[in-house]
Amino acid sequence: MKVCLLYADREALDSENYYDTASIIQDLGLNSLFSTSARKLVYEDGALKKLEKEDPFLTDTLRKVMMVPLTSEDEILFRQEIVADCLEAGTMIGELYRICAETIEKWNELGRTIWEKIRQGNPTLRLISEIRVMHLFCDSLAEIRGVLEKQEHLTSRGLTAFRDEFMKAFSKEREEYVRKGLNDISFYTSGLDQKDEGIDQNIQPRIVFECGLEDGLKFSSIRMEDVSSQSYKFAKHGGIVYKFRKYINSRMPNSFSVEDDGWLVTQSQQLEFGVVSYVIRKLKSVTDEFQSFFDRLRFQAAFYQAAVQMKLHMDRFGLEWCFPKVCDRRDLEFEELREFVMAIEQRVKVIGNTCSLRQKDMLIVTGANQGGKSTFLRSIGIAQVMMQCGLPVTAKSFRSGIFPRIFVHFTRREDSAMNSGRLDEELRRMDGIVEHIGDGSLILLNESFASTTEKEGSLIAYDILRALKEAGVRILTVTHLLSFAKRVYGESKDRPEAGVDFLSAERLPDGTRTFRMVRGEPELTSFGLDLYDEIVEKGLQNRGR
Amino acid sequence: MQGEFSILRPDGNGYDAEETATFYQDLNLLQVIDRLSGKWGREIRKYFMYLPEDPKEGDYRRAVYGDIKKEPVYRALMAFTEAMNGVDKLRGERTRVSDSLQRSAWLIREAEAYCGAYVALHRELSQAELESEGMLSLLAILTETMDGGYREIHKLTAEALTEIRKMRFVVTYEKARMRVEIRETPGEGAYDKWLNSEAQSEDVTFVNPFLTDAAITELERACLTILKEKNKDFFRRIQTAAKQCERYQKTVLLRFEQEVLYYLSYATLQREMEKAGHHFATPATGDGVRMEAKGLYDIALAIATLSDGRKVIANDFYYGPGERFFVLTGPNQGGKTTFARSLGQLVYLTRMGLDVPAESASVPYFSNIQTHFSVEESVETGRGKLMDELVRLAPMMAGNESETFVVINELFTTAANYDAQIMGKRVLEHFISRGCTGIYVTHLKELAEDRDGVVSLRAMLNDRGIQTFEIRRGEAEDSACAANQVNKYRLSYEQLKERL
């Protein structure tokens, strides 16, 4: 039984993931996004009552799935449809996820791992646990069918196909078959389960088989005629009723008792064991295709469960959301795009940005410190990653091309001190990136090469980015390297075919930062003086008072 | 005298003296024999380790081998051998059980398999076109044996088995009792049918849980006891058939059953190698043929490369009139030793009456093969290497047979050059004057100087100085080995530039 909810044509998350996912997660701050989405929101009377603890499985699933980009519009639509279905269907995906998780947990208790099996050692114990696993499978699969049967309004290709295939793979007939088989061999586990206690019934096997003789006169070519569990009223061993029954039975012609001889007792138990193993193996062949089904469904359902919760968190922070649309790689358009991670971390509705780039390969963002440049860059990066795994994004609208290769090259602020070791590290990272550049590459640079002098840094940046641009890489860069920005500006001014665009963090004449990006010529100052004034001078003045 | 019949030795004698000649080791024949005995059992080693003295014996075998290589004969013998392995297993079963009724049943089964194997072999061989003296004798003996009772026993036991296998009965296990009823017509297996209605694996079937034990269990015996009462006739017939079986004697052709493996093992190897593209030829022998071969290769090396598909170089050679000894010189790792070995193998396999690893070959009769390969200094004996070599050389040179094929590989490498030349020449002259034929591999080009009976051969390099492993006639010359090694590993400057 296939579970194709992540891709229309396959189950495994086997496409290539992004290069250097650790940097992407770190630089875009995705860990907060993962762990917040892994927290279930509990509502009461329509109002958020509480947040449950983070489900590490969901966190882990998001980390895995989001780092593997989809590579076509159809793949993206496939997932978007399912997310939409899940949002519509309320608790469905959560239920599926829960059933899988619980089944796996119980299965583990019954001894799923090889170590458990070794620990159980005894084949009889192992057989008993196999019977119990079969019961568990049957119950869980029936429960899943119950959930799916209720979903009449599914429209996504993925979920409808999954539902239809499941109904076939575990039909009512199959369930009845497995249940009858389990009932026939229930004698083997009778009295072992707590619920059986206190019942004055004694369950005994009835096994009828036809057979022939093999060379050497051993039984062979055995055909099973009947296997069933017969229920008798309990009679105390050695009691009157017991003796009477035994006497009646002994009058059966052409028969012998297997109770009175040690060997015969053992061998009839061997026979029971053989028959039960046989029946179980047959039943198993029906549920075999579900051996790893729960794991696969759990993983895939976890992604959509997280997607549903992600959307609820967006609502919680009052962030408008939409399903992004795919467009040409040289275009990028969005309205009111907000930085989701910052909203999560600072619990505020961050400023939205609107932007439209048509037929551009390079965007250079300059401007005031603390003006929201990095936030702006990150918001695009986060949205791009979310779009490329089928998730909704925090914007009124968002259109972008598909970039199977996303690279981030962020200067890590905390230690951007000027020294050659840092530059060396930056260049080494760039070398790694260049090694992996290919079709559909997008690189986000944040204050790259700021670890050397402005002049040197500008030269390095100019050479590298020009080469990248000529190689067809889309470049989004936030930079302080004003010589670099000026130079590119000079070369591309009045030449739209150059495919370069410039944005600056808006700064009102009075120095107020709006955290919005506006189109315009890069200035020679990044208005650090403003900040200096605000922080240093103001502090000094205050002290002076 | 049936007991004396041998498919290997026309005189029917045994193999009392297992030879331990050094040439098995030196020519890498032990590798070949190890491979054969690894698959066919240690028993066959003694046949390969015995070099028949009489030239007729080689011819006798060659003729038999010619018959056995024929597809229908090969198939029949392979099937026969497999059936015999089955008989051995059945015999094992019989000796493991103690129940007399069960023993009878196993005996019937065993006799049926054994006689059946012979009946089939006889049928196949009667239809085959046999030419060799050995195989025709075998067929005659088989015919006699069949008529002497094998066919009858086979029929009787086959009938008894059919009857045993036809018996069907139903066991009902309930209320802690087993009930047994004979059933005339086979049932449907209703529960199996139901299980298979949904099950995805038809191949899972119920097997007797008591099969792990060869002996019948108490439970089975208790059921049989009831069956016996219900069908006394049936069991009486089994006992009668078993009595008849005791007549079959399984010693008549015991020797043949063993010896045939000698041919089958080699024929199977030959087929496998031919499939991999290696050639085999039946050598021409007899008086007056000269020693020569086309496309000769080292069979041990070819076996080693079967799994990895490396190419093995084949060479042509001939000893012209009056030519007695090859002196082979050339670069290290140039295939000299391999070529020398393949010559020795050629002589050995011809003597053994088997096909040889070449496209074509003719080999005169040699009564003996003598080899001398240099070995690492022996710590055990404490002798120096030169000393060691001389000690081993002495008995070789002491003999006086002329029909000996001699393979000498790198003598006196530790001695001073001057001494080595003189000693080498003397050894060479000794063997030539004795009338022996052979090959002398050496790094001393002086030994290859023109002299009566000596032919100079060289391991060739290509124009880039890389070993080709080809051996040709030609004057000996000094060779620069170091550059070759570098080239071989593609470590020169240009090559490295290319690789990087």
Side-chain angles (χ1 to χ4, degrees):
Chain A
M1 167 76 208
K2 278 193 176 168
V3 183
C4 296
L5 296 180
L6 292 178
Y7 299 97
D9 55 348
R10 61 192 194 277
E11 300 184 274
L13 195 64
D14 54 2
S15 302
E16 211 174 316
N17 57 11
Y18 293 118
Y19 166 72
D20 194 5
T21 54
S23 288
I24 292 181
I25 291 173
Q26 185 187 339
D27 293 339
L28 298 181
L30 296 179
N31 272 330
S32 304
L33 190 151
F34 298 153
S35 55
T36 301
S37 306
R39 298 183 70 179
K40 195 170 176 182
L41 304 94
V42 183
Y43 294 91
E44 209 174 72
D45 303 328
L48 180 64
K49 194 184 162 214
K50 64 163 185 172
L51 287 181
E52 280 186 4
K53 269 204 303 202
E54 175 188 344
D55 178 345
F57 189 84
L58 291 189
T59 313
D60 198 46
T61 304
L62 273 183
R63 183 176 295 123
K64 282 179 185 149
V65 177
M66 285 183 69
M67 286 301 109
V68 179
L70 300 174
T71 54
S72 75
E73 182 172 7
D74 194 57
E75 285 186 336
I76 292 175
L77 283 174
F78 180 81
R79 283 198 199 164
Q80 287 182 350
E81 284 171 16
I82 296 179
V83 173
D85 256 354
C86 291
L87 290 173
E88 196 64 33
T91 58
M92 174 199 69
I93 199 73
E95 290 279 292
L96 293 181
Y97 172 67
R98 176 190 58 77
I99 295 168
C100 291
E102 285 175 4
T103 305
I104 288 165
E105 192 181 329
K106 284 184 198 154
W107 192 2
N108 286 338
E109 280 167 25
L110 287 171
R112 181 182 189 182
T113 61
I114 185 78
W115 294 113
E116 266 301 308
K117 283 183 181 140
I118 289 168
R119 200 177 60 77
Q120 287 174 351
N122 183 328
T124 308
L125 289 181
R126 234 164 28 216
L127 182 58
I128 288 170
S129 88
E130 273 189 56
I131 295 173
R132 289 183 171 154
V133 169
M134 187 62 66
H135 277 288
L136 173 66
F137 265 42
C138 199
D139 292 344
S140 298
L141 292 173
E143 198 180 353
I144 288 176
R145 199 178 53 223
V147 171
L148 292 177
E149 269 169 352
K150 278 186 285 180
Q151 311 304 326
E152 287 164 3
H153 305 295
L154 297 180
T155 56
S156 64
R157 286 168 285 167
L159 279 171
T160 50
F162 171 72
R163 180 189 58 196
D164 296 347
E165 201 185 327
F166 185 87
M167 294 301 182
K168 254 187 275 164
F170 195 69
S171 58
K172 273 241 155 56
E173 292 73 36
R174 288 217 165 138
E175 181 187 345
E176 276 164 22
Y177 168 79
V178 175
R179 290 209 190 277
K180 174 178 172 345
L182 286 171
N183 192 46
D184 288 342
I185 56 172
S186 61
F187 66 84
Y188 207 73
T189 46
S190 95
L192 289 174
D193 295 316
Q194 288 194 331
K195 64 179 161 65
D196 294 342
E197 263 176 31
I199 296 174
D200 60 349
Q201 292 290 312
N202 190 1
I203 314 280
Q204 284 191 5
R206 178 172 193 274
I207 297 170
V208 183
F209 60 90
E210 186 206 354
C211 74
L213 294 175
E214 207 187 37
D215 317 330
L217 303 185
K218 290 190 72 78
F219 288 2
S220 80
S221 62
I222 297 178
R223 285 184 194 150
M224 212 43 74
E225 298 283 357
D226 184 34
V227 177
S228 56
S229 292
Q230 307 283 329
S231 182
Y232 301 97
K233 206 166 164 58
F234 182 75
K236 201 173 145 220
H237 191 84
I240 289 261
V241 181
Y242 174 84
K243 281 182 179 159
F244 177 70
R245 275 194 204 158
K246 199 170 168 187
Y247 169 72
I248 296 283
N249 291 344
S250 71
R251 296 171 48 132
M252 199 190 288
N254 302 323
S255 73
F256 58 92
S257 162
V258 295
E259 273 181 309
D260 308 323
D261 175 296
W263 284 113
L264 293 179
V265 170
T266 313
Q267 285 161 12
S268 50
Q269 281 166 359
Q270 254 175 288
L271 176 69
E272 287 176 24
F273 177 85
V275 169
V276 171
S277 313
Y278 166 63
V279 174
I280 273 289
R281 268 188 299 160
K282 283 286 190 193
L283 299 185
K284 248 181 156 174
S285 73
V286 171
T287 57
D288 250 357
E289 57 177 314
F290 296 100
Q291 280 294 320
S292 60
F293 168 82
F294 293 105
D295 295 304
R296 286 173 284 137
L297 180 58
R298 180 194 193 194
F299 179 73
Q300 302 189 20
F303 172 71
Y304 290 104
Q305 171 67 4
V308 168
Q309 285 171 196
M310 200 180 287
K311 183 257 168 191
L312 294 175
H313 282 288
M314 289 176 186
D315 292 345
R316 176 181 151 223
F317 295 119
L319 304 173
E320 209 172 346
W321 63 271
C322 70
F323 281 114
K325 297 214 162 32
V326 175
C327 65
D328 186 86
R329 278 197 185 134
R330 296 187 74 200
D331 294 349
L332 173 64
E333 283 183 301
F334 49 79
E335 294 171 89
E336 295 301 307
L337 172 66
R338 292 165 208 275
E339 212 275 46
F340 190 20
V341 172
M342 186 182 254
I344 291 170
E345 285 181 346
Q346 303 186 356
R347 296 161 192 249
V348 291
K349 181 172 173 177
V350 290
I351 301 292
N353 264 295
T354 300
C355 174
S356 169
L357 301 176
R358 291 286 180 90
Q359 300 299 301
K360 300 287 186 232
D361 306 308
M362 173 139 78
L363 175 67
I364 296 175
V365 185
T366 56
N369 274 327
Q370 295 300 311
K373 299 193 301 289
S374 298
T375 308
F376 174 76
L377 184 70
R378 271 202 312 275
S379 70
I380 298 175
I382 294 167
Q384 187 72 31
V385 168
M386 288 173 75
M387 166 176 136
Q388 296 192 157
C389 68
L391 291 169
V393 301
T394 47
K396 198 171 164 194
S397 72
F398 186 89
R399 287 175 70 234
S400 177
I402 298 176
F403 295 95
R405 297 178 174 85
I406 295 181
F407 305 95
V408 291
H409 194 269
F410 282 37
T411 284
R412 286 156 196 173
R413 263 171 214 290
E414 61 273 25
D415 42 22
S416 61
M418 212 185 286
N419 70 52
S420 66
R422 296 293 307 158
L423 181 64
D424 178 74
E425 187 269 347
E426 279 192 86
L427 290 170
R428 189 166 48 75
R429 269 195 287 149
M430 184 54 81
D431 172 54
I433 290 171
V434 168
E435 189 73 21
H436 291 83
I437 293 279
D439 187 38
S441 296
L442 166 69
I443 182 166
L444 307 181
L445 299 107
N446 193 11
E447 310 283 16
S448 292
F449 311 119
S451 53
T452 179
T453 60
E454 204 266 347
K455 194 176 160 194
E456 244 179 36
S458 290
L459 283 173
I460 295 172
Y462 181 83
D463 284 347
I464 292 178
L465 294 190
R466 188 170 70 160
L468 289 177
K469 180 165 169 282
E470 282 165 8
V473 178
R474 159 161 274 214
I475 299 160
L476 303 179
T477 175
V478 164
T479 186
H480 273 120
L481 300 171
L482 294 176
S483 320
F484 156 72
K486 274 285 185 192
R487 184 170 172 192
V488 178
Y489 187 79
E491 285 172 5
S492 59
K493 197 166 67 172
D494 307 325
R495 282 181 60 232
E497 73 277 10
V500 185
D501 213 339
F502 294 84
L503 292 182
S504 303
E506 188 179 39
R507 175 179 172 274
L508 300 180
D510 65 350
T512 312
R513 286 144 172 86
T514 63
F515 304 110
R516 288 185 190 277
M517 300 300 128
V518 292
R519 194 166 263 124
E521 180 180 356
E523 301 186 49
L524 271 174
T525 166
S526 53
F527 305 98
L529 280 175
D530 289 348
L531 273 185
Y532 182 85
D533 284 348
E534 187 178 330
I535 298 164
V536 181
E537 291 297 330
K538 215 180 244 177
L540 286 176
Q541 282 166 16
N542 284 345
R543 205 181 315 156
R545 258 178 222 163
Chain B
M1 286 297 287
Q2 288 185 355
E4 294 297 323
F5 172 71
S6 167
I7 198 79
L8 286 178
R9 312 204 60 188
D11 57 10
N13 287 339
Y15 314 86
D16 13 281
E18 179 160 317
E19 292 215 18
T20 48
T22 51
F23 75 81
Y24 289 104
Q25 174 80 46
D26 288 343
L27 300 178
N28 281 350
L29 288 168
L30 284 185
Q31 292 178 17
V32 181
I33 296 169
D34 283 348
R35 182 182 168 103
L36 294 174
S37 65
K39 287 190 175 174
W40 295 80
R42 290 195 63 80
E43 290 298 304
I44 66 167
R45 290 182 80 85
K46 64 169 182 276
Y47 306 128
F48 284 99
M49 301 293 275
Y50 172 83
L51 198 60
E53 278 156 29
D54 189 343
K56 281 193 199 124
E57 202 160 320
D59 296 336
Y60 177 79
R61 292 182 182 192
R62 210 168 348 268
V64 170
Y65 191 63
D67 271 342
I68 287 181
K69 276 191 301 177
K70 292 172 186 161
E71 186 65 24
V73 180
Y74 174 79
R75 267 173 203 273
L77 285 172
M78 287 296 280
F80 172 76
T81 307
E82 203 167 297
M84 280 300 152
N85 285 338
V87 172
D88 284 345
K89 275 200 200 101
L90 291 170
R91 191 169 305 137
E93 297 286 358
R94 176 159 61 93
T95 50
R96 258 190 292 159
V97 301
S98 53
D99 183 280
S100 78
L101 186 62
Q102 203 188 0
R103 280 180 85 109
S104 301
W106 278 126
L107 182 62
I108 291 171
R109 178 77 183 81
E110 181 188 329
E112 191 268 341
Y114 184 84
C115 297
Y118 269 110
V119 167
L121 180 65
H122 178 248
R123 188 181 56 233
E124 297 297 328
L125 292 187
S126 321
Q127 286 162 9
E129 286 167 21
L130 301 177
E131 293 161 89
S132 64
E133 180 196 342
M135 289 303 282
L136 287 168
S137 311
L138 172 70
L139 182 57
I141 293 167
L142 282 179
T143 308
E144 195 180 317
T145 315
M146 291 307 109
D147 298 340
Y150 271 33
R151 204 173 277 122
E152 188 192 330
I153 294 175
H154 182 237
K155 187 159 169 273
L156 189 73
T157 49
E159 280 167 7
L161 277 182
T162 313
E163 196 157 359
I164 292 176
R165 287 169 185 166
K166 237 170 44 194
M167 171 71 109
R168 300 293 296 174
F169 53 93
V170 174
V171 180
T172 306
Y173 169 50
E174 65 182 329
K175 299 173 189 163
R177 294 187 75 80
M178 296 271 174
R179 193 170 73 235
V180 184
E181 297 152 299
I182 291 181
R183 180 176 272 188
E184 296 300 331
T185 52
E188 300 265 290
Y191 198 75
D192 287 330
K193 264 195 170 168
W194 174 75
L195 277 178
N196 286 335
S197 66
E198 284 286 341
Q200 306 296 302
S201 56
E202 292 270 333
D203 50 332
V204 172
T205 53
F206 182 72
V207 286
N208 180 357
F210 310 121
L211 268 189
T212 47
D213 200 349
I216 40 179
T217 53
E218 282 70 14
L219 192 95
E220 286 169 309
R221 186 176 302 120
C223 292
L224 280 179
T225 308
I226 293 176
L227 284 179
K228 224 156 142 183
E229 275 164 31
K230 307 274 284 182
N231 194 344
K232 293 202 169 89
D233 256 15
F234 170 71
F235 286 91
R236 201 174 296 125
R237 280 201 297 280
I238 292 183
Q239 301 282 25
T240 317
K243 263 223 160 52
Q244 293 286 320
C245 292
E246 282 163 14
R247 281 196 315 165
Y248 101 85
Q249 293 180 346
K250 49 165 315 323
T251 51
V252 182
L253 288 157
L254 196 57
R255 182 164 176 179
F256 163 73
E257 288 165 25
Q258 282 292 323
E259 288 180 344
V260 72
L261 299 182
Y262 168 81
Y263 296 109
L264 284 180
S265 61
Y266 192 78
T268 305
L269 174 68
Q270 180 172 336
R271 281 163 170 258
E272 192 185 337
M273 293 180 69
E274 280 171 345
K275 223 184 219 168
H278 298 292
H279 294 281
F280 277 86
T282 307
T285 55
D287 295 336
V289 303
R290 67 175 186 178
M291 173 112 172
E292 69 180 318
K294 282 205 159 43
L296 177 73
Y297 56 91
D298 179 342
I299 188 172
L301 185 63
I303 289 174
T305 59
L306 272 181
S307 50
D308 58 21
R310 268 182 298 149
K311 208 167 168 258
V312 176
I313 301 295
N315 279 294
D316 302 345
F317 78 91
Y318 65 91
Y319 285 86
E323 293 175 349
R324 303 228 71 103
F325 247 85
F326 288 150
V327 173
L328 175 54
T329 54
N332 288 335
Q333 305 294 322
K336 299 195 299 284
T337 303
T338 301
F339 178 73
R341 278 201 182 106
S342 65
L343 281 186
Q345 293 169 358
L346 176 66
V347 172
Y348 165 79
L349 290 171
T350 305
R351 280 283 304 277
M352 298 299 278
L354 299 168
D355 280 3
V356 297
E359 280 166 47
S360 69
S362 63
V363 184
Y365 176 72
F366 292 105
S367 66
N368 201 4
I369 301 171
Q370 289 196 322
T371 57
H372 191 290
F373 279 51
S374 60
V375 290
E376 292 305 304
E377 210 156 315
S378 167
V379 180
E380 216 171 288
T381 59
R383 298 190 296 236
K385 189 169 176 181
L386 179 61
M387 180 73 169
D388 204 82
E389 286 179 345
L390 292 170
V391 165
R392 286 188 295 123
L393 192 60
M396 270 177 78
M397 297 185 55
N400 56 4
E401 313 96 336
S402 62
E403 291 174 325
T404 298
F405 192 80
V406 181
V407 182
I408 296 172
N409 190 21
E410 296 286 16
L411 271 180
F412 314 131
T413 47
T414 53
N417 210 39
Y418 178 78
D419 296 352
Q421 279 180 35
I422 294 176
M423 290 191 283
K425 274 179 194 164
R426 284 194 191 159
V427 170
L428 197 54
E429 274 159 15
H430 166 84
F431 283 115
I432 290 174
S433 66
R434 225 171 79 186
C436 297
T437 308
I439 181 166
Y440 192 135
V441 176
T442 181
H443 61 287
L444 300 171
K445 63 174 183 149
E446 292 78 5
L447 290 183
E449 276 165 13
D450 198 25
R451 90 184 66 203
D452 268 0
V454 167
V455 182
S456 171
L457 296 187
R458 253 173 56 208
M460 306 303 287
L461 298 176
N462 66 13
D463 45 13
R464 285 186 295 143
I466 295 170
Q467 289 89 334
T468 62
F469 309 108
E470 276 170 25
I471 309 294
R472 301 237 185 93
R473 287 177 178 240
E475 261 177 51
E477 56 187 36
D478 288 318
S479 56
C481 299
N484 299 335
Q485 297 292 56
V486 170
N487 278 332
K488 185 175 168 192
Y489 294 106
R490 305 204 302 137
L491 289 173
S492 72
Y493 177 72
E494 292 84 359
Q495 284 166 328
L496 278 175
K497 286 289 276 186
E498 240 173 69
R499 287 165 69 176
L500 295 175

